[in-house]
Amino acid sequence: QVQLVESGGGLVQAGGSLKLSCAASGSMLSINTMGWYRQAPGNQRELVATRTGSASTIYADSVKGRFTLSRDNVKKMVYLQMNNLKPEDTAVYYCNADITSLNYERRDYWGQGTQVTVSS
C-alpha cells in the first residue's frame, strides 16, 4: 500500500525558514510527478510546487524566489525549502504524488498534511 508521510512543519516568525520532507513508501513501479500543495482556512487547496518525471519544476507565482523544491528519486522523497516566510504562507501543506502501481494503475496520492504557521 502506497503512503506519503510528511514532516517538518511548525511555527516560525515572518522572514524565517522551514524545510518540509515527504517520503513515499510501499510497492510501486514509478513516481511521476511529486510535489506540494497547501490549503489555508477558507481557501481551496492550491499548488505550491511540483516536479515532473522529466525534472521540470513548476512553482506558484506567490512562492517563486523563496521556495525551492528538490527530489530524491532513489529515496522516493521530495523536499520543500521555504525561505523568507510570510504570514500568508500559513496553511496545511500536503505532499502529492502521481504514482504508477505494480498493476500499472496510475493515480494521485496525498499525505496527511503538515501545519505551517508564520507569525507576523
Side-chain angles (χ1 to χ4, degrees), residues 1 3 13 18-19 35 42-43 53 56 58 74 99 109-110 113-114:
Q1 180 147 352
Q3 284 189 314
Q13 288 189 329
L18 282 174
K19 185 175 184 177
N43 290 356
S56 171
I58 300 169
V74 174
I99 292 173
Y109 290 85
W110 294 90
T114 186

Side-chain angles (χ1 to χ4, degrees), residues 75-118:
K75 294 183 178 179
K76 299 178 185 177
M77 295 193 70
V78 66
Y79 308 93
L80 187 68
Q81 177 66 47
M82 305 184 292
N83 297 330
N84 190 22
L85 282 159
K86 304 176 180 180
E88 52 263 43
D89 294 318
T90 295
V92 178
Y93 284 69
Y94 295 92
C95 180
N96 169 266
D98 174 7
I99 292 173
T100 301
S101 59
L102 297 181
N103 63 1
Y104 298 95
E105 177 182 298
R106 182 172 175 173
R107 52 156 285 194
D108 264 350
Y109 290 85
W110 294 90
Q112 79 284 359
T114 186
Q115 177 70 46
V116 171
T117 303
V118 184

